[in-house]
Amino acid sequence: MEDEFAGQNFESTGNVIKEEAAGFNPGLIVLLLVGGLLLIFIVGNYALYYHAQKTLPPKKKKPVSKKKMKRERLKQGVSAPGE
């Protein structure tokens, strides 16, 4: 009978005291893993954005159509050339 309970501690009343399992909480591990991956993703995106801003040439502006240029000049009160 003593061999069955050799690894367990007893209180004076005879109840078995359950020892807490050593180790990390699985929820904490998942939270840290997801948080770490999210942090790596954000830092990686920032690094790529910073690198692209330094190395890529600036965007070219779309050419303004003659119709729009004429309209803008009329708004400003300057007559278009040839009129």
Side-chain angles (χ1 to χ4, degrees), residues 31-82:
L31 183 66
L32 289 174
L33 187 66
V34 171
L37 289 174
L38 185 64
L39 187 65
I40 290 169
F41 177 76
I42 291 170
V43 170
N45 271 349
Y46 177 74
L48 286 172
Y49 174 77
Y50 184 73
H51 177 69
Q53 291 297 315
K54 288 188 116 179
T55 57
L56 293 177
K59 287 184 178 179
K60 293 180 180 177
K61 292 183 180 178
K62 291 182 181 178
V64 181
S65 67
K66 291 179 182 178
K67 199 178 204 180
K68 284 186 180 179
M69 283 178 60
K70 191 174 182 180
R71 193 179 302 147
E72 285 297 319
R73 285 189 179 142
L74 286 172
K75 282 182 182 178
Q76 294 175 1
V78 178
S79 63

Side-chain angles (χ1 to χ4, degrees), residues 16-29:
V16 177
I17 301 171
K18 295 182 181 178
E19 294 182 21
E20 292 185 21
F24 293 106
N25 183 356
L28 180 64
I29 293 172

